[in-house]
C-alpha cells in the first residue's frame, strides 16, 4: 500500500508562481513514474506532467514552458514548479504514482487546491 500527500497549493495572482510537493510513503516501487494531474470544476481530469525514476519528463501542452516537474528519489517526493500562472490553471492538483511492471500498483493523492485569481 502506498500513500501520497500533496502540499503547496493556495491562492496566487496571475503571473505568479507556486511549488507543489507530493511525498509517497509505504511500499514504494524502486522503478516508477510519478505524475501531476489537475481537475477544474466541470472538467475532466487532465495530465499536467509526468516523471520517471530516471528523470524522463513529459508535459501537457497547456503547461509546457511554464511548469517544471522534478523529483527527489531519496525522499520519494515529486515537485511541480508552476510559473506564469494563469486563471485557467485553477484546479485541484493530484499526485499519482504507478509502475509499468504491475498494473495493480497505481495510487493517487487527495489533491491540493490551486487558485489563480486577482
Amino acid at each position: 500500500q502506498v500513500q501520497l500527500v500533496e502540499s503547496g497549493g493556495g491562492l496566487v495572482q496571475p503571473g505568479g508562481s507556486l511549488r507543489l510537493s507530493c511525498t509517497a510513503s509505504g511500499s514504494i516501487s524502486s522503478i516508477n513514474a510519478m505524475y501531476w494531474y489537475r481537475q477544474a470544476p466541470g472538467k475532466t481530469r487532465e495530465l499536467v506532467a509526468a516523471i520517471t525514476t530516471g528523470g524522463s519528463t513529459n508535459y501537457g501542452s497547456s503547461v509546457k514552458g511554464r511548469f517544471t516537474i522534478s523529483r527527489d528519489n531519496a525522499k520519494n517526493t515529486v515537485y511541480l514548479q508552476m510559473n506564469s500562472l494563469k486563471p485557467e490553471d485553477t484546479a485541484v492538483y493530484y499526485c499519482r504514482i504507478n509502475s509499468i511492471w504491475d498494473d495493480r500498483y497505481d495510487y493517487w493523492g487527495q489533491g491540493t487546491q490551486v487558485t489563480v485569481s486577482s
Side-chain angles (χ1 to χ4, degrees):
Q1 185 67 37
V2 176
Q3 297 79 45
L4 298 171
V5 179
E6 301 101 330
S7 63
L11 175 65
V12 65
Q13 293 183 337
S17 298
L18 283 174
R19 189 179 75 158
L20 306 182
S21 299
C22 172
T23 298
S25 62
S27 183
I28 308 302
S29 176
S30 61
I31 302 176
N32 61 68
M34 299 186 77
Y35 311 78
W36 288 100
Y37 290 78
R38 68 186 183 187
Q39 188 166 20
K43 296 186 177 181
T44 58
R45 192 167 298 185
E46 66 173 341
L47 176 68
V48 175
I51 187 167
T52 66
T53 308
S56 179
T57 60
N58 187 52
Y59 296 91
S61 61
S62 64
V63 307
K64 191 173 184 179
R66 298 188 298 121
F67 292 8
T68 302
I69 190 170
S70 61
R71 64 187 293 166
D72 185 334
N73 291 335
K75 297 180 179 179
N76 295 316
T77 298
V78 62
Y79 305 93
L80 185 68
Q81 178 66 46
M82 304 185 293
N83 298 325
S84 301
L85 283 161
K86 305 174 181 179
E88 51 263 44
D89 295 319
T90 296
V92 177
Y93 284 71
Y94 296 91
C95 179
R96 179 195 181 200
I97 186 170
N98 76 348
S99 173
I100 194 70
W101 304 108
D102 186 354
D103 60 9
R104 298 169 298 179
Y105 188 95
D106 192 346
Y107 301 93
W108 292 78
Q110 82 289 344
T112 185
Q113 177 71 49
V114 172
T115 302
V116 184
S117 176
S118 60

